[in-house]
Amino acid sequence: MEDPQKVLELTVQAGQLLLENGAEVFRVQQTMEIMAAAYGETEFHVYVLTNGIFASLGRDGRQHMARVGHVPQSSVHLGRVDAVNTLSRQIAAGQVPLEEAMARIEQIRAIPVLPLWQQVLACGAGTGFFAILFGGGWREFGCAFVAGILLQLFLWQAEGRRLNKIITRLLGAALVTAVAALGVWLGFSRDVDRIIIGSIMPLVPGIALTMAVRDFFNSDYLSGTIRIMDALIIGLSIAAGVGVVLAFGAVALGVSL
């Protein structure tokens, strides 16, 4: 029989990794239960929210220990999610001893994100092609491409300074709107709407909305409500950032965009 404290520690760490990197609530709970059962723990109980994990483990009808884990909001890293899922399947098949599993969890936690230049290039290309997708031309692509590059650099700085998510989205939306307005003012483009729409797409909380729907379908109503509220607040922040810059251009500069 494995050390119950180590089993509990492993399951909680695996759950935290999954949750903070974009996994669904029901999938986190299911994975933790599978891991605990694979190591012989039949009295393992876990309750998962969008930003917290509550787990307890007992034997012979008695509760021996419990853990509460806070999961801060983090960026999505599906590579880590896939690695934890692969590890859980191997544990369920009896292929990974407990000590090795603990070491593997630390290795998964250390999987790096993409280099900054790749993130910047991907964001610029994404915003540019979104501008075309929404009806813009190559001029709008160029303006949105520049806006996307500046946006990703801003998000990188904001993450390093641990800036509040709401303020980050508001300022990010204001930044891309200002770049779009500048592009139109300089004559590079005449369609500010397509540039703005394409440029704000990296800020749109699409994952939160998708996860909220999945949580509701899996009867995780509390987690679904939390995600819906998060998505609505982020959406309002984006709208406020865009609106402030457009209003400033109309009132202070006398320019209608």
Side-chain angles (χ1 to χ4, degrees):
M1 208 67 165
E2 300 287 357
D3 182 349
Q5 185 171 354
K6 290 184 178 181
V7 173
L8 183 62
E9 181 68 23
L10 172 68
T11 56
V12 171
Q13 286 195 27
Q16 287 177 326
L17 266 176
L18 287 171
L19 199 57
E20 69 187 16
N21 286 287
E24 306 97 319
V25 166
F26 84 96
R27 191 75 68 186
V28 174
Q29 186 165 317
Q30 184 183 62
T31 300
M32 294 175 68
E33 291 171 346
I34 289 173
M35 284 184 168
Y39 289 117
E41 301 297 341
T42 58
E43 298 180 33
F44 176 79
H45 305 282
V46 59
Y47 180 61
V48 180
L49 293 173
T50 54
N51 58 351
I53 295 175
F54 307 84
S56 66
L57 189 152
R59 285 182 182 173
D60 303 323
R62 297 180 302 168
Q63 179 176 310
H64 287 266
M65 59 198 70
R67 281 286 307 274
V68 176
H70 174 249
V71 183
Q73 295 293 325
S74 183
S75 58
V76 175
H77 194 314
L78 296 182
R80 292 173 184 166
V81 173
D82 178 66
V84 175
N85 287 333
T86 299
L87 175 61
S88 69
R89 287 191 289 269
Q90 293 173 345
I91 290 174
Q95 300 173 353
V96 184
L98 181 58
E99 294 296 334
E100 181 183 339
M102 296 288 289
R104 291 269 298 275
I105 285 292
E106 293 304 318
Q107 293 172 4
I108 293 170
R109 194 186 304 279
I111 294 177
V113 297
L114 290 174
L116 178 61
W117 71 268
Q118 292 185 16
Q119 297 180 44
V120 169
L121 183 61
C123 189
T127 54
F129 283 113
F130 268 120
I132 291 180
L133 181 65
F134 288 114
W138 289 108
R139 289 177 178 269
E140 287 71 39
F141 172 90
C143 292
F145 182 82
V146 173
I149 288 177
L150 295 176
L151 174 63
Q152 185 58 45
L153 290 172
F154 167 75
L155 294 176
W156 172 64
Q157 284 289 331
E159 183 179 357
R161 298 175 184 273
R162 299 185 180 276
L163 196 62
N164 180 275
K165 181 168 63 173
I166 296 174
I167 301 300
T168 298
R169 268 45 180 188
L170 191 152
L171 294 179
L175 172 64
V176 298
T177 304
V179 173
L182 181 62
V184 172
W185 184 70
L186 293 175
F188 290 119
S189 171
R190 295 181 180 179
D191 199 340
V192 70
D193 293 340
R194 268 65 174 186
I195 301 172
I196 294 174
I197 293 171
S199 300
I200 65 174
M201 288 305 293
L203 301 173
V204 173
I207 293 178
L209 284 171
T210 303
M211 302 286 272
V213 173
R214 296 200 64 171
D215 287 341
F216 280 123
F217 273 110
N218 287 285
S219 300
D220 293 318
Y221 300 119
L222 182 56
S223 295
T225 302
I226 293 172
R227 290 190 194 275
I228 283 287
M229 291 301 298
D230 179 62
L232 288 175
I233 292 172
I234 294 301
L236 289 173
S237 301
I238 295 171
V242 174
V244 165
V245 174
L246 293 180
F248 177 80
V251 175
L253 304 179
V255 178
S256 180
L257 298 172

